[in-house]
């Protein structure tokens, strides 16, 4: 199933805001505080013997990750707005992918294990943090890497953990929602875990895809500098209806999840 580009005409594209030096000067000290104080707290929570201690049914490491992600987004000028609630039963979160900040956005929504491309391992600081929090990496074009990641995903889902994945298979450069790859739904089927569609959208008087998309020629450092210098914006996260995976096919799940995410992405009336 491919999204019809015309359905996104109803969602206006906001003009990119020019970064301003004075905003950077205001936010940069706060970012340094988050790095100097918050980062050691996060790393402490990830230590063996600490990370698996449970708080309200979730490992303390995952709880701290969520808190750290929320603070980081706030400092960078992103206001998290969540529509809907997470179901009680953990499962596979599937979301559209626009920006490098989609990763902390999902961490801010739920204490989860995230699946990401292998290239992120090499990013300065971000790669270190991704490895530390237990990100599941997939090397593009490697069948063995895909199978290893799928086994890990299924094991976590069977253990009652939340796993997040971007089933478009990478950043979607065009505004809207790209095709969801059915293969990434296999671990949920094998684990009998529900699939939860989630839509991410960046908004400031209109859709900010053009401003926020992490496209070719964009560095993560440039993304951070741009965020520090621009006016604050909302990260709108819409949570869809859970889908039972038991007895379902991968193609069926991928099509329905893509349909829900597309519909939620275009939902302007709820704003």
């Amino acid at each position: 199933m491919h999204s019809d580009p015309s359905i996104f005409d109803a969602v206006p594209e906001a003009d990119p805001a020019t970064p301003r030096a004075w905003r950077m000067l205001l936010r940069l000290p706060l970012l340094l505080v988050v790095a100097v104080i918050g980062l050691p707290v996060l790393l402490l929570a990830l230590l063996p013997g600490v990370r698996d201690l449970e708080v309200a049914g979730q490992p303390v490491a995952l709880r701290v990750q969520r808190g750290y992600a929320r603070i980081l987004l706030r400092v960078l000028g992103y206001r998290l707005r969540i529509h809907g609630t997470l179901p009680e039963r953990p499962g596979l979160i599937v979301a559209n992918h626009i920006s490098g900040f989609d990763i902390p956005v999902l961490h801010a929504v739920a204490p989860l294990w995230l699946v990401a491309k292998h290239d992120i391992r090499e990013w300065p600081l971000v790669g270190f943090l991704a490895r530390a929090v237990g990100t599941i990496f997939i090397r593009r074009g490697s069948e063995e890497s895909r199978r290893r990641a799928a086994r890990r995903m299924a094991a976590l889902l069977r253990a009652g953990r939340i796993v997040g994945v971007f089933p478009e298979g990478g950043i979607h450069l065009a505004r809207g929602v790209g095709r969801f790859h059915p293969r990434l739904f296999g671990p949920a089927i094998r684990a009998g875990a529900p699939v939860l569609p989630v839509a991410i959208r960046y908004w400031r008087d209109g859709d900010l895809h053009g401003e926020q998309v992490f496209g070719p020629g964009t560095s993560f450092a440039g993304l951070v500098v741009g965020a520090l210098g621009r006016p604050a914006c909302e990260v709108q996260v819409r949570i869809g209806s859970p889908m039972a995976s038991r007895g379902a096919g991968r193609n069926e799940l991928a099509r329905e999840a893509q349909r829900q995410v597309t519909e939620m992405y275009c939902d302007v009336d709820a704003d």
Side-chain angles (χ1 to χ4, degrees):
M1 175 179 174
H2 290 270
S3 303
D4 179 0
S6 64
I7 66 178
F8 299 108
D9 293 342
V11 183
E13 176 84 20
D15 292 333
T18 303
R20 301 295 185 186
W22 65 266
R23 292 194 190 98
M24 296 182 195
L25 293 175
L26 285 176
R27 291 174 179 160
L28 188 57
L30 295 175
L31 184 61
L32 293 175
V33 170
V34 170
V36 172
I37 298 177
L39 190 54
V41 172
L42 174 61
L43 295 177
L44 177 64
L46 296 173
L47 289 175
V50 177
R51 64 175 302 133
D52 294 324
L53 294 176
E54 295 210 347
V55 176
Q58 289 285 348
V60 67
L62 295 181
R63 293 287 180 183
V64 173
Q65 285 175 42
R66 182 170 63 173
Y68 184 83
R70 290 189 174 197
I71 293 171
L72 178 63
L73 289 172
R74 189 78 178 182
V75 167
L76 289 170
Y78 293 96
R79 306 294 183 258
L80 184 64
R81 184 179 178 190
I82 302 174
H83 301 259
T85 56
L86 293 169
E88 290 186 8
R89 188 183 175 195
L92 180 69
I93 289 179
V94 294
N96 60 309
H97 201 7
I98 301 169
S99 167
F101 291 128
D102 295 344
I103 294 172
V105 165
L106 284 190
H107 277 299
V109 171
L112 51 69
W113 296 77
L114 195 63
V115 180
K117 63 180 182 179
H118 193 270
D119 297 357
I120 291 177
R121 289 179 61 96
E122 310 307 321
W123 288 8
L125 184 59
V126 176
F128 168 74
L129 288 174
R131 294 192 299 272
V133 300
T135 302
I136 304 167
F137 294 105
I138 297 182
R139 189 185 296 275
R140 188 168 297 176
S142 170
E143 185 66 19
E144 176 54 33
S145 175
R146 188 196 66 78
R147 289 177 180 172
R148 186 165 55 249
R151 289 193 296 268
R152 180 64 172 148
M153 290 167 65
L156 287 167
L157 290 168
R158 290 190 190 100
R161 305 302 186 202
I162 304 173
V163 177
V165 67
F166 301 110
E168 290 165 313
I171 297 287
H172 189 58
L173 299 179
R175 186 156 62 96
V177 180
R179 175 179 177 269
F180 280 12
H181 294 280
R183 269 188 167 186
L184 293 169
F185 292 78
I189 295 173
R190 289 194 291 277
V195 173
L196 184 64
V198 168
I200 300 172
R201 187 174 64 189
Y202 297 84
W203 190 271
R204 187 197 312 109
D205 299 323
D207 186 88
L208 292 178
H209 182 279
E211 178 184 289
Q212 297 292 328
V213 68
F214 191 54
T218 305
S219 67
F220 189 76
L223 198 65
V224 172
V225 169
L228 289 172
R230 292 191 183 102
C233 71
E234 276 191 352
V235 185
Q236 299 175 350
V237 178
R238 286 179 165 79
I239 300 172
S241 301
M243 301 183 297
S245 64
R246 198 175 299 278
R250 296 186 308 184
N251 292 335
E252 172 191 351
L253 285 174
R255 284 194 298 268
E256 174 58 19
Q258 183 186 335
R259 185 197 67 77
Q260 282 199 45
V261 173
T262 299
E263 186 175 281
M264 291 187 292
Y265 183 93
C266 292
D267 182 7
V268 182
D269 296 336
D271 295 330

